């Protein structure tokens, strides 16, 4: 499992680049992960999504879907795609320090 | 008298009515099943209607024929579940109390969730085949279609029978070949998933199938709207796919009853314990079939496996015994692949579909993840099994829990 220094901290990442240990997450770590995803600066809009995702995960134990971010988190889907282009569910989850969302069958 | 009430008399509710009437002491228990539709539909049969293989009468029979005489059948829409009062309200304001409730109200299509989908093109050159009426309308359209771009689009997951859109394409490839116009038809599969299926091994094999049959795969496409004036679908991130004929699998949601009763998630599916099938919010409410929020496939075969486990758990709960945490997400699906052949997949929460033989290890007669004629017969035989054995809660030679024997990693 690759370990890397991010924002001055040793952090373990899985094969897809997601945090292995959720407690490694910090706002600084998020900023670095965001840059790797091509997002130069996390704006207020980004933080609203990230914070909702983390709170929802803590409560429900599952990474929220795009529909849930829309219906429960109040983030219009169009806006979500603007904030996190190309696969917002995956990108936002990674930046929020959560696990890779499971595609359901 | 104690009361067991079952909401929904589709696949799961009908199996449960049969099983519970065999296992409960009917001197002490009254079983009631409530559904608003007198007709039972064999939904897997919808797939064959657009190609004229089945007609409506092959997939529809009276519900009452499959409900045991000892079970009270009420034909009415359920207006509300009031789980804190242990009662349900019917459309005519009748109130029915219960000691135990089984919710089996399934899932249905909500095309209005997608902008423009039910616009001017709806039922003109945009069709669905997940309802009997939709499948029949598509059959009429296809009969006279001269060819062009046919796009099958899955709007969002989860959908019931996640392999049905693929099967539709495989059958379309065969059918247009039979009609002598395959060279005039361009087939595409546009899906929000990264490949043809969610699980990697099966996805890889199915991707190859699409390729072999000259069906284009457009993955990771999350549809935002339909532009029916210009005949194209547009994704949230601005990608576009043009169509002459759009066959959509719209968003699948749980019954609006669940929303009215405040019991569901954002898709009106009920939060349910993955292994016991008890609802997370109410001790005496159990959920089965498509109505659950479980990460298992929404399929009749899954409802059948769940029914074995739910029966045992209900009986144990009634006796005051601890429930068995046994449901493992087992699913078993035949995949019709066209030209008289089919594939079969068998998997659960933890084990993805693998190659091998089924149900007898090394013998079969069915082959997992391999295209054979026998698998096609299995698919066609399933209709008989469904009407004559499965709905009646009879034992089938397949265990509820998945078996690793016969599978190859
Ligand atoms: C095109 C297609 C192909 C499929 N192919 C396969 C396949 O090959 N293999 C397989 O295993 N599965 C297949 N399936 C899936 C399978 O049909 C479903 O998963 C299964 O029927 C689910 O059973 P259920 O009892 O949960 O829901 P359903 O059978 O849908 O029953 C739900 C019932 O609840 C009733 N209801 C809902 N709301 C209310 C209310 N408010 N008041 C009263 N009654 C209500 C409805 O009238 C309905 O009768 C397919 C489905 C489709 C659409």
């Amino acid at each position: 499992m690759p370990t890397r220094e991010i924002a001055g901290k040793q952090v373990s990442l899985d094969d897809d680049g997601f945090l292995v240990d959720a407690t490694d997450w910090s706002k600084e770590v998020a900023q670095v992960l965001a840059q790797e995803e091509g997002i130069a600066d996390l704006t207020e809009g980004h933080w609203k999504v990230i914070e909702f995702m983390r709170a929802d995960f803590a409560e429900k134990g599952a990474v929220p879907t795009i529909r849930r971010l829309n219906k429960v988190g109040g983030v219009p889907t169009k806006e979500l795609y603007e904030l996190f282009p190309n696969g917002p569910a995956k990108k936002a989850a990674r930046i929020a320090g959560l696990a890779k969302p499971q595609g359901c069958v | 008298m104690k009361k067991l009430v079952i909401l929904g008399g589709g696949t799961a509710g009908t199996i449960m009515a049969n099983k519970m009437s065999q296992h409960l002491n009917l001197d002490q228990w009254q079983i009631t099943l409530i559904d608003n539709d007198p007709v039972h539909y064999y939904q897997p049969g919808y797939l064959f209607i657009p190609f004229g293989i089945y007609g409506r009468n092959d997939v529809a029979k009276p519900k009452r024929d499959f409900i045991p005489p000892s079970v009270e059948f009420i034909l009415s829409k359920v207006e509300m579940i009031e789980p804190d009062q242990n009662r349900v309200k019917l459309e005519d304001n009748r109130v029915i109390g219960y000691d135990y409730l089984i919710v089996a109200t399934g899932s249905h299509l909500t095309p209005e969730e997608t902008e423009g989908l039910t616009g001017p093109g709806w039922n003109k050159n945009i069709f669905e085949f997940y309802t009997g009426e939709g499948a029949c309308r598509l059959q009429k359209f296809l009969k006279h279609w001269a060819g062009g771009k046919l796009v099958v689009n899955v709007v969002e997951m989860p959908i019931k029978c996640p392999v049905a859109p693929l099967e539709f394409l495989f059958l379309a490839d065969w059918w247009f070949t039979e009609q002598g116009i395959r060279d005039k038809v361009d087939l595409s599969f546009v899906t929000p998933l990264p490949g043809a299926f969610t699980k990697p091994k099966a996805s890889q094999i199915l991707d190859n199938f699409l390729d072999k049959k000259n069906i284009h795969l457009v993955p990771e496409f999350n549809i935002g709207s339909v532009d029916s004036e210009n005949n194209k679908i547009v994704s949230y991130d601005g990608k576009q796919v043009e169509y002459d004929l759009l066959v959509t699998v719209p968003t699948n949601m749980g019954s609006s009853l669940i929303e009215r009763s405040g019991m569901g998630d954002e898709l009106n599916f009920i939060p349910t314990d993955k292994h016991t099938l008890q609802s997370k919010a109410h001790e005496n409410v159990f959920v089965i079939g498509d109505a659950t929020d479980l990460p298992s496939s929404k399929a009749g075969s899954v409802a059948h496996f769940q029914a074995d486990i739910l029966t045992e758990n209900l009986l144990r709960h009634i006796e005051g015994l601890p429930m068995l945490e046994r449901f493992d997400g087992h699913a078993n699906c035949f995949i019709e692949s066209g030209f008289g052949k089919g594939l079969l997949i068998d998997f659960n929460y933890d084990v993805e579909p693998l190659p091998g033989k089924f149900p007898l290890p090394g013998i079969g007669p069915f082959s997992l993840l391999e295209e054979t004629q026998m698998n096609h017969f299995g698919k066609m035989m399933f209709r008989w099994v469904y009407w004559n054995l499965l709905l009646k809660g009879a034992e089938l030679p397949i265990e509820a829990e998945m078996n690793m024997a016969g599978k190859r990693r």
Side-chain angles (χ1 to χ4, degrees), chain B residues 7-14 34-37 39-47 63 76-79 104-107 129-131 160-161 163-164 167 255-257 260 288-291 297-303 332-334 379 382 386:
Chain B
L7 304 184
T11 312
T14 305
I34 312 172
D35 197 306
N36 59 300
D37 189 339
V39 181
H40 191 119
Y41 295 98
Y42 172 61
Q43 298 177 42
Y46 293 161
L47 171 70
K63 276 205 168 89
S76 168
K77 186 175 156 198
V78 182
E79 203 45 56
T105 44
S107 66
F129 67 95
Y130 267 50
T131 65
K160 44 184 161 184
C161 196
V163 293
E167 297 183 277
S255 174
S256 54
L257 162 69
R260 288 196 294 278
I288 183 168
D290 293 355
S297 277
K298 296 200 182 295
S301 67
V302 174
N332 178 280
C333 305
F334 285 105
K379 176 100 191 173
F382 188 62
Y386 185 89

Side-chain angles (χ1 to χ4, degrees), chain B residues 121-142:
Chain B
W122 187 244
N123 294 335
K124 299 241 165 42
N125 66 340
I126 304 177
F127 297 89
E128 53 83 13
F129 67 95
Y130 267 50
T131 65
E133 303 89 70
C136 289
R137 279 191 291 257
L138 183 52
Q139 189 261 333
K140 289 201 188 94
F141 180 90
L142 283 178

Side-chain angles (χ1 to χ4, degrees), chain B residues 103-368:
Chain B
V103 185
T105 44
S107 66
H108 67 287
L109 301 183
T110 54
E112 60 285 353
E113 289 283 317
T114 303
E115 194 186 318
L117 186 55
T118 53
W122 187 244
N123 294 335
K124 299 241 165 42
N125 66 340
I126 304 177
F127 297 89
E128 53 83 13
F129 67 95
Y130 267 50
T131 65
E133 303 89 70
C136 289
R137 279 191 291 257
L138 183 52
Q139 189 261 333
K140 289 201 188 94
F141 180 90
L142 283 178
K143 221 163 53 179
H144 303 293
W145 195 48
K149 291 193 191 88
L150 193 171
V151 170
V152 175
N153 174 234
V154 174
V155 168
E156 71 183 296
M157 299 300 288
I159 57 169
K160 44 184 161 184
C161 196
V163 293
L166 286 169
E167 297 183 277
F168 180 90
L169 281 159
F170 295 153
L171 280 174
D173 170 55
W174 159 77
W175 194 76
F176 290 122
T177 306
E178 293 279 293
Q179 308 300 308
I181 58 166
R182 179 64 183 91
D183 57 334
K184 297 195 178 63
V185 180
D186 187 61
L187 293 173
S188 305
F189 182 46
V190 181
T191 167
L193 297 173
F197 198 63
T198 45
K199 315 263 174 165
K201 259 223 174 73
S203 192
Q204 202 188 344
I205 289 172
L206 291 167
D207 283 358
N208 288 343
F209 260 87
L210 289 174
D211 215 36
K212 208 171 74 186
K213 293 173 190 286
N214 199 15
I215 301 167
H216 315 292
L217 175 69
V218 182
E220 299 188 337
F221 186 100
N222 285 284
I223 186 170
S225 60
V226 179
D227 175 356
S228 37
E229 236 141 75
N230 298 303
N231 289 334
K232 57 189 183 193
I233 53 176
V234 184
S235 74
Y236 278 111
D237 48 0
K239 286 181 281 189
Q240 303 190 346
V241 174
E242 286 179 12
Y243 62 84
D244 295 306
L245 167 59
L246 176 63
V247 176
T248 176
V249 182
T251 302
N252 283 208
M253 285 175 91
S255 174
S256 54
L257 162 69
I258 306 306
E259 186 174 27
R260 288 196 294 278
S261 310
M263 292 171 73
D265 64 10
E266 59 282 359
L267 284 166
N268 302 342
F269 294 128
I270 305 175
T272 305
D273 185 280
K274 244 173 117 163
H275 298 297
T276 65
L277 304 176
Q278 191 177 39
S279 79
K280 285 188 179 159
H282 302 277
E283 205 197 347
N284 60 342
V285 177
F286 290 78
V287 194
I288 183 168
D290 293 355
T292 73
D293 74 337
L294 302 186
S296 48
S297 277
K298 296 200 182 295
S301 67
V302 174
H304 162 75
F305 297 136
Q306 288 175 338
D308 281 354
I309 285 147
L310 179 53
T311 301
E312 207 168 314
N313 277 341
L314 258 177
L315 295 172
R316 293 180 70 100
H317 198 272
I318 288 167
E319 295 284 327
L321 297 169
M323 289 184 291
L324 300 174
E325 298 202 344
R326 254 194 19 171
F327 183 61
D328 62 355
H330 188 189
N332 178 280
C333 305
F334 285 105
I335 307 176
E336 186 66 13
S337 59
F339 298 93
K341 292 190 178 166
L343 295 120
L344 177 65
I345 53 177
D346 191 66
F347 58 102
N348 69 11
Y349 287 140
D350 306 316
V351 181
E352 62 167 321
L354 296 170
K357 292 283 178 195
F358 186 88
L360 300 175
I363 296 170
F366 302 117
S367 306
L368 296 165

